[in-house]
Amino acid sequence: MPALIFDCDGVLADTERDGHLPAFNQAFAEFSVPVQWSDPDYAVKMKIGGGKERMRSILTPSVAAVLGLPQDDPAALDSTVARWHRRKTAIYTERVNRGALPARPGIRRIVTQAADAGWTLAVASTSAEESVRTVLTHAVGPELAAKFRVFAGDVDGARKPAPDVYLRALRELGIGPGDALVVEDSANGLKAELAAGLRTVITVSGYAAGEDFTGAALVVSSLGDPGGPTTVTISDPLHLAPEFFVDLSDFAAILEAPEIPAPDATAPDALENR
């Protein structure tokens, strides 16, 4: 049976704006870090893979001096950032546990379909494992979450857009790239999957709107739900034409396709729904 692999942030739930951003800012405030990210600031920081890496990026010489940190001791700076990040993860997890971050449309539905069909289920993310497992459980429920393999946290190798986390998932699942489909939300994630030879469905999240998703098998606003938010198709090179929501049969068709055609820039779905 094929594997269905999800990224976490922006895919299982729209976690960035309502979860990670306020958690970063609260952690900065608690540690007296003279930084508060605005929404546009965080959109830029999103281009940096990994939470600790985003926090490390604010340690300019002036900020380090204000905090009394040794600028010539990278190990000490990394230790400080790790402490900040542990607190940020705890704040974020508290927000998820309060139910502040509901699942994105269609996630529980498609996971239920895949589990019933015998597909292997996994999450591949470089976010902290505790955060990923908490989001997953709230998004699909504990019974379905227990069926997932979770590849998360610090990983050997590079962050996205490098393919390392997906190569690790394939290796540990014991499958090849032709046996897996990934659901992602960002261009950085798409680049990682393409480098790993994987086929990808993009469900565009807030901070990723307008990014280049060339190479994706399907780009939609969300997976959609019957009777709920419906799918808006942005790019559909295989002409799957999901009308109201994306179904597991669409995922199977993507895996069965001999190749993913280049998108037609003149197609109505590429122009009217952006």
Side-chain angles (χ1 to χ4, degrees):
M1 280 294 179
L4 181 56
I5 304 174
F6 295 86
D7 178 39
C8 177
D9 294 316
V11 172
L12 298 178
D14 204 351
T15 56
E16 297 293 355
R17 180 172 283 114
D18 298 324
H20 287 292
L21 174 55
F24 277 119
N25 282 337
Q26 184 177 332
F28 289 148
E30 290 182 7
F31 286 102
S32 300
V33 179
V35 171
Q36 288 287 287
W37 285 333
S38 66
D39 199 65
D41 292 335
Y42 192 61
V44 174
K45 293 299 180 184
M46 284 282 294
K47 300 182 186 301
I48 301 173
K52 286 195 288 293
E53 289 77 4
R54 290 172 196 166
M55 285 182 140
R56 187 71 164 78
S57 73
I58 63 98
L59 279 176
T60 60
S62 59
V63 170
V66 167
L67 295 172
L69 297 174
Q71 300 177 38
D72 57 351
D73 188 347
L77 295 178
D78 289 343
S79 177
T80 297
V81 168
R83 187 168 69 255
W84 294 348
H85 191 259
R86 283 192 296 272
R87 177 58 185 145
K88 175 262 170 184
T89 298
I91 296 166
Y92 171 78
T93 301
E94 290 165 6
R95 292 182 65 84
V96 176
N97 284 331
R98 290 201 306 269
L101 307 172
R104 291 196 66 194
I107 289 296
R108 189 179 292 234
R109 173 181 58 80
I110 207 80
V111 166
T112 299
Q113 290 179 346
D116 290 346
W119 286 44
T120 298
L121 296 167
V123 175
S125 170
T126 53
S127 292
E129 183 171 350
E130 179 185 3
S131 297
V132 172
R133 290 188 180 276
T134 302
V135 172
L136 174 64
T137 299
H138 278 264
V140 304
E143 184 176 347
L144 283 171
K147 299 178 183 292
F148 276 74
R149 294 283 303 276
V150 175
F151 306 98
D154 291 327
V155 295
D156 295 332
R159 302 276 185 168
K160 298 175 186 178
D164 299 48
V165 66
Y166 288 109
L167 294 174
R168 174 193 168 195
L170 293 175
R171 184 172 62 250
E172 296 194 21
L173 291 173
I175 59 175
D179 299 317
L181 180 73
V182 178
V183 183
E184 253 285 0
D185 72 307
S186 70
N188 256 4
L190 175 61
K191 290 174 184 176
E193 288 127 24
L194 293 177
L198 289 158
R199 296 188 176 192
T200 303
V201 171
I202 295 289
T203 59
V204 181
S205 64
Y207 286 111
E211 292 184 353
D212 182 3
F213 296 118
T214 300
L218 179 66
V219 183
V220 292
S221 58
S222 75
L223 297 178
D225 266 324
T230 56
T231 293
V232 175
T233 302
I234 298 167
S235 177
D236 184 15
L238 291 171
H239 305 292
L240 301 170
E243 187 173 1
F244 298 111
F245 55 89
V246 179
D247 197 70
L248 190 68
S249 61
D250 297 312
F251 286 3
I254 290 169
L255 287 176
E256 292 166 3
E259 62 180 4
I260 306 300
D264 180 359
T266 65
D269 66 344
L271 295 174
E272 297 175 6
N273 296 322
R274 285 193 185 277

